[in-house]
Amino acid sequence: MRQFGGSWSESKLNCVENYALAYLQVMQKQHWYILHYVDAFAGRGKQVLKSSTPSSAERLELESFFGDYSERADTETFLVGSSLRALSASRSSARPFAHFTLIEADKSSCDELEAVIQSEFPDMKDKVDVICKDANVALNEYIDLVDWTRTRAIVFLDPYGLEVRWETVVRLATTGACDVWYLFPLGGVIRMMTNDGRIPERWQVRLDQLFGTHE
Ligand SMILES: C[S@@+](CC[C@H](N)C(=O)[O-])C[C@H]1O[C@@H](n2cnc3c(N)ncnc32)[C@H](O)[C@@H]1O
C-alpha cells in the first residue's frame, strides 16, 4: 500500500497535521493547559483504494469524498484521515494531546474508526472518545463539559456540505480557547445560490443555519 500524493485533499490534511505538530511544539512549556484535539467530521480513519481503475460509480464516490480524483488513480493507495494524523502527531510529540474527541455521524464509519485506533494506536485508545452523533449536537455537549480556563483545543471541521450551524461556530468562539480549522463548503453554497435569486425554501433554511442570518 502507499499513500495518495499530490491531491488537494492530502495538502489539506498535511496542513492540519503540520499545524497540530506546531501547536504541540508551541504548547510545550505551557503545562498549565490540558490539550485536546477535536475532529467533528472524523470519517472512518482511512480510505483504501483497491484498484487503479475504479468503476464510474466508485469514481463518483471518491470524488465526493476527496475532490478531483483524476491525478491519483494508482494501485493499492490509501489516504490517512485527519484523526489518525492527529493521533500520530501527538504520539511523536514531547507534549501530546491529553484527549481526542472524534465525532462522526455515520455508524459504520465510527466502527471502522474505532477498529483502526484499536489496531494502530492501542497505547492511546484510552485517551480517545469516538462519538457517533451529529457534529453540532456533540460539539455543544463537549463545550459544556470542558473547563475552558484550563483547556486548549484544536477543533477541525471538515464537513461534506452545509452541516455546520453558525451557532456552533459562535459557541466555539465563546470558549476563547479553541483553534478552529473550518473547511467552508463554498461549492455547496454556490450551488444553492441560484442565478435567478429564487432559492427554494428548504435551501434557504440550510443557508440561514450555515450563515446564522437570513441577510
Ligand atoms: C469530508 S468527510 C471527513 C473526512 C475526515 N476529515 C478525514 O480526514 O478522513 C465528512 C464526514 O462527515 C460525516 N458527517 C456527515 N454529516 C455529519 C454530521 N452532521 N455530523 C457529524 N459527521 C457528519 C460523514 O459521514 C463523513 O465521514
Side-chain angles (χ1 to χ4, degrees):
M1 277 195 219
R2 61 187 211 90
Q3 288 175 266
F4 278 134
S7 73
W8 80 266
S9 310
E10 179 148 43
S11 305
K12 144 190 119 174
L13 290 167
N14 286 342
C15 282
V16 175
E17 183 176 355
N18 289 334
Y19 189 85
L21 283 165
Y23 181 88
L24 293 172
Q25 176 80 26
V26 167
M27 290 299 199
Q28 211 161 11
K29 298 215 168 82
Q30 303 192 30
H31 286 289
W32 51 92
Y33 290 133
I34 299 161
L35 303 182
H36 287 188
Y37 175 83
V38 181
D39 205 319
F41 297 84
R44 61 186 63 227
K46 55 180 146 178
Q47 187 84 358
V48 181
L49 302 176
K50 295 190 179 68
S51 156
S52 60
T53 50
S55 68
S56 53
E58 284 172 334
R59 197 177 177 94
L60 269 179
E61 194 189 329
L62 288 164
E63 281 175 7
S64 73
F65 193 85
F66 297 129
D68 176 25
Y69 175 70
S70 56
E71 302 163 35
R72 295 185 303 285
D74 207 333
T75 51
E76 293 287 283
T77 51
F78 72 97
L79 182 74
V80 177
S82 45
S83 40
L84 299 190
R85 285 167 185 249
L87 282 160
S88 72
S90 187
R91 188 189 253 165
S92 67
S93 170
R95 169 80 157 112
F97 290 109
H99 194 263
F100 298 79
T101 299
L102 310 180
I103 303 162
E104 166 58 50
D106 178 61
K107 175 75 173 81
S108 68
S109 299
C110 287
D111 292 346
E112 274 187 48
L113 183 58
E114 280 185 324
V116 76
I117 291 168
Q118 175 75 37
S119 70
E120 295 186 19
F121 298 89
D123 51 318
M124 296 169 79
K125 69 179 172 23
D126 294 342
K127 293 178 169 187
V128 182
D129 279 334
V130 176
I131 300 173
C132 198
K133 269 191 189 169
D134 168 68
N136 299 281
V137 173
L139 277 173
N140 272 287
E141 291 171 357
Y142 165 78
I143 291 167
D144 286 341
L145 281 177
V146 171
D147 174 1
W148 292 108
T149 61
R150 300 176 57 230
T151 309
R152 292 293 176 269
I154 296 183
V155 180
F156 184 38
L157 307 176
D158 183 18
Y160 279 143
L162 281 68
E163 286 91 7
V164 178
R165 291 168 179 249
W166 183 248
E167 65 211 40
T168 303
V169 178
V170 171
R171 278 225 70 200
L172 286 167
T174 55
T175 66
C178 295
D179 284 36
V180 179
W181 280 76
Y182 179 12
L183 292 167
F184 187 79
L186 189 59
V189 169
I190 288 170
R191 278 194 292 279
M192 287 180 162
M193 300 272 198
T194 52
N195 285 339
D196 62 8
R198 286 204 294 268
I199 302 174
E201 181 83 30
R202 202 163 47 87
W203 291 6
Q204 288 188 31
V205 172
R206 295 294 302 277
L207 288 164
D208 291 355
Q209 287 169 346
L210 182 89
F211 288 118
T213 171
H214 193 69
E215 297 305 309

